[in-house]
Amino acid sequence: MKNKAFNPIFTTKVIVAAALVLLSLIFALPVAQVVFGAEKMLPIYSVQTDEKVVAITFDAAWGADDTDVLIEILAEHDCKATFFICGYWVTQFPDVVRKFHEAGHDIANHGDTHAHVASLNFEQNVEEIAAAHTRVLGLLGVEMDLYRPPYGEYNNTVLEAAKSINYHTIQWDVDSLDWKRPTPEAMFNRVINHKSLQNGSILLFHNDIPETPIALRKILAELKNQGYKFVPVSQLILRDNYKLDHTGRQIPLS
């Protein structure tokens, strides 16, 4: 059986590809971006700032039983939070949405139906965001511009769709994992000792989880004790003159 002919061009391509993959590991760049030339877009995970501030965020897609206690706890700690709300949830709980808004919290977009948006095309993603936008606009007269994809799921199509209708896509760098129903103590320890907690962090919680209000009261108190202040995402993020590093952290350009 004859050996295949040596192909120097093919061999060179393999060597170059391997070198690029190695570079991607060294510099923490996405392999697809380095090897295939595709620019991987990122949402905003956090913001570089000299101010000792963090943003508390909630995803609202299911029940609403803890509404009053969340508003009470947030008020106790002078915390204006950001609530990412699904469109159908706006229709189901309009009075709750009004309560959050009247308490001074950000009302932000979590899509209309809590879909797996990475499986949708561009037009479907635009519709998911726009439909929720229309519901909130009709209820509150608020023009939202902050979007968090359901499940934290995204790709370039999701981000491009949001950008096309003037939305900033927001993730988080500190996850309470409250949806897993940890004990309040475990939730507290996870958040306060999280390796990513820093100036400009965005913290993720969910409403309608029994353990969250219990842990939240202690978490906010400890963050204040450490010198942190709380700002809504709308006041934290940079809207121009910035770049994103490979972690999705906004870096001011001047």
Side-chain angles (χ1 to χ4, degrees), residues 44 59 73 76 92 111 121 124 130 189 208 211 221 240:
I44 298 167
D59 289 356
I73 292 169
E76 285 176 3
Q92 188 174 1
N121 63 31
Q124 290 169 326
N189 289 331
D208 204 45
E211 293 81 8
D240 53 35

Side-chain angles (χ1 to χ4, degrees), residues 67-68 70-72 74-75 78-81 83 95-107 140 232:
T67 298
D68 291 336
L70 284 180
I71 290 175
E72 175 189 327
L74 293 169
D78 193 26
C79 176
K80 300 302 183 187
F83 287 85
D95 292 341
V96 172
V97 179
R98 285 194 194 94
K99 280 186 175 182
F100 287 142
H101 176 59
E102 290 170 359
H105 303 296
D106 275 355
I107 304 299
L140 302 176

Side-chain angles (χ1 to χ4, degrees), residues 2 6 24 49 74 76 79 96 117 128 149 187 190 201 212 214 225 227 251:
K2 294 182 179 181
F6 174 73
S24 75
T49 175
L74 293 169
E76 285 176 3
C79 176
V96 172
V117 292
E128 272 290 317
M187 196 187 308
R190 174 176 174 79
S201 280
T212 296
I214 302 169
N225 185 55
I251 311 295

Side-chain angles (χ1 to χ4, degrees), residues 160-218:
E160 287 167 349
K163 184 177 180 180
S164 75
I165 51 176
N166 301 313
Y167 264 86
H168 303 271
T169 304
I170 310 297
Q171 292 284 85
W172 60 86
D173 63 337
V174 177
D175 189 349
S176 69
L177 292 181
D178 56 356
W179 60 273
K180 290 187 174 183
R181 302 288 305 275
T183 65
E185 181 180 3
M187 196 187 308
F188 171 86
N189 289 331
R190 174 176 174 79
V191 171
I192 295 302
N193 298 315
H194 201 288
K195 64 181 181 180
S196 295
L197 181 62
Q198 59 187 316
N199 292 4
S201 280
I202 299 174
L203 284 63
L204 171 63
F205 298 91
H206 296 77
N207 77 315
D208 204 45
I209 294 179
E211 293 81 8
T212 296
I214 302 169
L216 183 67
R217 183 172 267 117
K218 291 182 60 180

Side-chain angles (χ1 to χ4, degrees), residues 39-87:
E39 181 182 356
K40 178 178 170 56
M41 298 173 64
L42 289 172
I44 298 167
Y45 281 82
S46 65
V47 179
Q48 180 176 290
T49 175
D50 293 332
E51 294 184 65
K52 202 168 180 64
V53 295
V54 294
I56 305 297
T57 72
F58 296 86
D59 289 356
W62 314 122
D65 290 343
D66 60 355
T67 298
D68 291 336
V69 70
L70 284 180
I71 290 175
E72 175 189 327
I73 292 169
L74 293 169
E76 285 176 3
H77 295 283
D78 193 26
C79 176
K80 300 302 183 187
T82 302
F83 287 85
F84 290 89
I85 295 175
C86 281

Side-chain angles (χ1 to χ4, degrees), residues 21 23 47 51 84 90 98-99 139 146 150 154 186 204 246:
V21 170
L23 285 173
V47 179
E51 294 184 65
F84 290 89
V90 174
R98 285 194 194 94
K99 280 186 175 182
L139 178 68
L146 303 175
Y154 69 89
L204 171 63
H246 70 281

